Amino acid sequence: MEVCYFDNAATTRVKEEVLEEMFPFLSVEYGNPSSLYGLGRTARKAVEEARRRVASLIGAEAKEIYFTSCGSESDNMALKGLAYQNRLEGSDPTSAFTSPQKNHIITSKIEHPAILNTCHALEKQGFEITYLDVSKEGIICLDSLERAIKPETFLISIMFANNEIGTIQPISAIAKLAHSHGIYFHTDAVQAVGNIPIKVKQMGIDLLSLSGHKLYAPKGIGALYIKQGIEIERFLDGGHQEKNKRAGTENVAEIVALGKACELAEKQLPDYQKKLKTLRDDCLTQMRLRFPDLQVNGSMENRLPGNCHVCFPHVNSSELLYKLDQVGICASGGSACSSGDSAPSHVLTAIGVPSQLAQGALRITFGDFNTKQEVDFLVEQLTKIIWKK
Ligand code: PLP
């Protein structure tokens, strides 16, 4: 049975070009980039070329990119790194920017657990966190954000695009607001990078997290952009890799893969966006015709091109996903990280979806390997399963 994969927000299939480029670094080119002989120098060159490619995709400079093991690590590194640095500098009475009183972070209620749980961990260590509400469209309100700012706030961390409902936040406006109060701005852009244009300099982003497996590189590689001049405290101790900010021998093959994936994403972005949007809109139009009581969750205007998130009244999402799986269709009820949870998703709760309706949630996320025929098959199968009930 052929698999129809509609869960590209959970992870993506690695592209052939990416595999081809990474493979030599798992076999013949096995040098350690810190070694000074030829094998090591080849690995170093490959790592630095990948860094340049990642930087180019998001409009950063290569020296502002730090490789990590995943998006979650990038989020931890950004939030804990800044928080600990702040505490460190705060103990210095001559420090101009920070003080021991600067212990407040603002984030949103719809962040990924990589941010929410990092914030919970920081709360236990004495930091104060404000979790902002979002509108029923799934968007931050800038006035509420401004009202949440205190003299103690040192960081605002708001995701670029949501992993469940795909809504895109007003990033440039948030960054501007943060800077007007002397506050750093971090964004978890794991779902956005490679899907929509991002230029960190123009948008005023200070730190940005990304992850390889959402853009056709393998799982287990991520990166953090840190604007030059911003200091963070390292939280992984060891060697001096990544300019002393993240210890551990570089994962050369995966770094190369991420670099290639970013290069492809940059070249293909306009066509890719168009392709995903066409598939998504077609799917939604067909579903609306078959299911007039369908509820679409989150703004359609400010949304990732490949995201479709709906609720079917009187349908149980787990049963639906099970039946879809039986005919070879992979989709999701929420995010992969919360699957298995019977509680309604924190994102749907935050945008005010009643818990009963939230039980019938379906997330369909499109990718480069999807076709129109697959969309038709999906709608046909949904119709069979739901109408039979
Ligand atoms: N942030 C967001 C918005 C995500 O969607 C994900 C993964 O789904 C992560 C962070 C975590 O990324 P990783 O799986 O690479 O740790």
Side-chain angles (χ1 to χ4, degrees):
M1 184 168 57
E2 287 261 321
V3 165
C4 287
Y5 187 75
F6 289 110
D7 204 10
N8 289 275
T11 197
T12 54
R13 178 171 143 190
V14 180
K15 285 191 173 167
E16 281 302 320
E17 301 96 309
V18 171
L19 278 174
E20 263 169 39
E21 203 148 317
M22 78 179 278
F23 193 66
F25 295 92
L26 291 169
S27 53
V28 287
E29 298 294 355
Y30 51 83
N32 182 324
S34 298
S35 299
L36 297 179
Y37 41 78
L39 262 185
R41 290 199 306 274
T42 304
R44 168 60 55 207
K45 208 167 143 213
V47 166
E48 296 318 316
E49 173 57 14
R51 204 185 302 280
R52 191 195 61 72
R53 290 172 171 180
V54 174
S56 173
L57 176 61
I58 60 167
E61 288 180 45
K63 59 181 180 234
E64 297 173 311
I65 302 297
Y66 298 85
F67 291 113
T68 64
S69 67
C70 58
S72 303
E73 185 188 329
S74 300
D75 285 342
N76 271 265
M77 185 167 159
L79 268 58
K80 291 179 181 162
L82 268 181
Y84 300 158
Q85 177 72 21
N86 196 57
R87 195 160 55 189
L88 207 72
E89 288 179 5
S91 60
D92 171 6
T94 61
S95 169
F97 180 71
T98 51
S99 76
Q101 286 77 40
K102 289 241 177 202
N103 69 343
H104 180 231
I105 299 173
I106 302 173
T107 187
S108 82
K109 286 189 180 165
I110 62 165
E111 299 294 313
H112 187 271
I115 292 289
L116 292 176
N117 289 332
T118 301
C119 286
H120 295 153
L122 287 170
E123 272 176 315
K124 285 191 194 138
Q125 296 166 42
F127 290 91
E128 189 195 344
I129 318 282
T130 298
Y131 301 91
L132 286 180
D133 287 322
V134 294
S135 69
K136 65 180 191 346
E137 296 279 279
I139 308 287
I140 289 290
C141 164
L142 289 171
D143 288 339
S144 311
L145 174 59
E146 185 151 32
R147 278 196 300 274
I149 294 173
K150 308 178 184 196
E152 299 81 26
T153 313
F154 67 93
L155 173 65
I156 294 174
S157 178
I158 301 288
M159 70 198 321
F160 209 116
N162 184 263
N163 47 301
E164 292 189 35
I165 54 175
T167 50
I168 300 170
Q169 302 300 331
I171 292 298
S172 301
I174 298 171
K176 201 165 160 200
L177 185 60
H179 293 162
S180 70
H181 290 266
I183 297 167
Y184 290 130
F185 174 55
H186 165 257
T187 186
D188 173 346
V190 166
Q191 290 290 337
V193 171
N195 280 294
I196 47 174
I198 297 180
K199 293 293 165 214
V200 286
K201 305 284 172 194
Q202 277 113 300
M203 293 175 163
I205 298 165
D206 296 316
L207 299 99
L208 175 146
S209 304
L210 64 97
S211 177
H213 73 108
K214 311 290 183 179
L215 68 152
Y216 309 100
K219 294 152 201 64
I221 183 69
L224 179 65
Y225 154 77
I226 309 176
K227 187 178 164 189
Q228 203 192 358
I230 296 178
E231 282 304 319
I232 65 158
E233 168 76 351
R234 58 185 280 161
F235 78 108
L236 190 59
D237 291 312
H240 298 297
Q241 291 89 354
E242 297 300 283
K243 285 194 256 100
N244 218 12
K245 284 198 165 61
R246 198 266 182 184
T249 302
E250 296 87 341
N251 185 352
V252 180
E254 293 230 12
I255 289 173
V256 168
L258 176 61
K260 183 65 184 176
C262 287
E263 184 191 58
L264 291 175
E266 189 171 0
K267 271 196 204 135
Q268 297 165 357
L269 193 56
D271 290 343
Y272 181 60
Q273 282 185 286
K274 223 179 285 164
K275 174 180 176 172
L276 297 195
K277 189 173 177 309
T278 305
L279 290 170
R280 194 265 316 274
D281 290 350
D282 178 27
C283 183
L284 202 50
T285 307
Q286 290 200 49
M287 284 200 301
R288 277 180 164 142
L289 278 173
R290 305 277 196 309
F291 310 101
D293 56 355
L294 186 79
Q295 174 170 314
V296 178
N297 300 309
S299 164
M300 281 309 294
E301 204 180 316
N302 298 302
R303 189 185 196 98
L304 291 173
N307 177 288
C308 177
H309 195 293
V310 294
C311 284
F312 296 97
H314 318 297
V315 168
N316 179 290
S317 170
S318 311
E319 274 175 40
L320 177 60
L321 292 173
Y322 175 73
K323 287 182 180 156
L324 286 173
D325 184 33
Q326 285 184 320
V327 291
I329 295 172
C330 309
S332 159
S335 71
C337 308
S338 56
S339 52
D341 245 349
S342 58
S345 122
H346 70 287
V347 176
L348 295 187
T349 305
I351 62 170
V353 176
S355 62
Q356 182 112 44
L357 187 58
Q359 297 303 325
L362 182 68
R363 181 185 73 176
I364 305 161
T365 46
F366 299 90
D368 221 7
F369 296 104
N370 289 127
T371 61
K372 156 85 178 139
Q373 287 71 29
E374 286 181 331
V375 171
D376 295 345
F377 180 64
L378 168 67
V379 178
E380 186 193 310
Q381 292 305 316
L382 280 172
T383 310
K384 273 192 192 160
I385 296 166
I386 295 174
W387 282 10
K388 213 193 249 174
K389 275 177 64 7

